[in-house]
Amino acid sequence: MQDYPNQMTPEQSRAFRDAVQNIVGQIPCGRVTTYGHIAALAGWPSHSRMVGRTLRYTLGASELPCHRVVNKEGRTAPGWSRQRILLEEEGVLFKANGHVDMAKHLWEPSIEL
DNA sequence: TGCTTGACAGAAG
DNA sequence: CCTTCTGCCAAGC
C-alpha cells in the first residue's frame, strides 16, 4: 500500500467514485452509514466531503440509496429535507432532536462482502 | 494562480 | 438546541 496521493489522479478519482457507489449500494434497508466510514473504507479517511460531493454528482447516474448516508451525529444533509422522509419510510427512527438514532441504525460498510 | 465553497467531523460558544 | 470555527481536500470561479 502506498501513501495517500496529494492530488487525486483521474484513476484515483475513478476508483474513489467506484468505491463510494459500491459501499453505498451495500447499505441494507433501514440502515445508515456515515461519510467518514465510506471515505475511510474507500482509502481516504479525510475525504469525507468528497463522498458527499461524489454522490451529488452521480445522483442521476445510479439508484444508489444515498439517503442512507448521514453524518456521524446522525444529522441529515442540509438542504435535503427529503432524505429524512425516505429514511422514515424505511423504518429508521429519528430522535426528538431530528437526528437519526445511530445507535440502532448505524451500519458499518465492508469492502470484503 | 489564488480565494471561496461544500450532501463532512468535531469541538466550542 | 442552534450557530460558528477550524481542519480537511477537491471543485468552482
Side-chain angles (χ1 to χ4, degrees):
Chain A
M1 304 305 265
Q2 300 138 23
D3 297 52
Y4 322 118
N6 294 328
Q7 218 168 5
M8 277 219 262
T9 64
E11 190 176 312
Q12 297 287 11
S13 183
R14 181 170 54 81
F16 185 77
R17 284 197 300 267
D18 183 62
V20 171
Q21 294 181 62
N22 178 37
I23 295 166
V24 175
Q26 294 178 47
I27 306 177
C29 182
R31 303 265 182 175
V32 297
T33 191
T34 71
Y35 294 95
H37 271 135
I38 296 174
L41 202 60
W44 292 278
S46 307
H47 284 55
S48 50
R49 312 184 81 151
M50 270 55 267
V51 177
R53 184 181 298 280
T54 300
L55 288 174
R56 197 187 208 199
Y57 270 72
T58 58
L59 270 180
S62 315
E63 296 185 8
L64 294 174
C66 40
H67 59 270
R68 292 180 190 149
V69 182
V70 297
N71 63 2
K72 228 182 206 177
E73 297 184 14
R75 290 183 297 186
T76 51
W80 194 17
S81 55
R82 184 169 184 161
Q83 180 176 22
R84 177 171 174 171
I85 307 299
L86 292 170
L87 289 173
E88 291 182 309
E89 291 293 299
E90 295 186 353
V92 174
L93 298 178
F94 277 73
K95 293 179 170 181
N97 56 356
H99 295 86
V100 177
D101 192 337
M102 303 301 287
K104 291 186 177 182
H105 303 287
L106 178 60
W107 173 80
E108 296 184 45
S110 60
I111 283 189
E112 302 184 76
L113 184 55

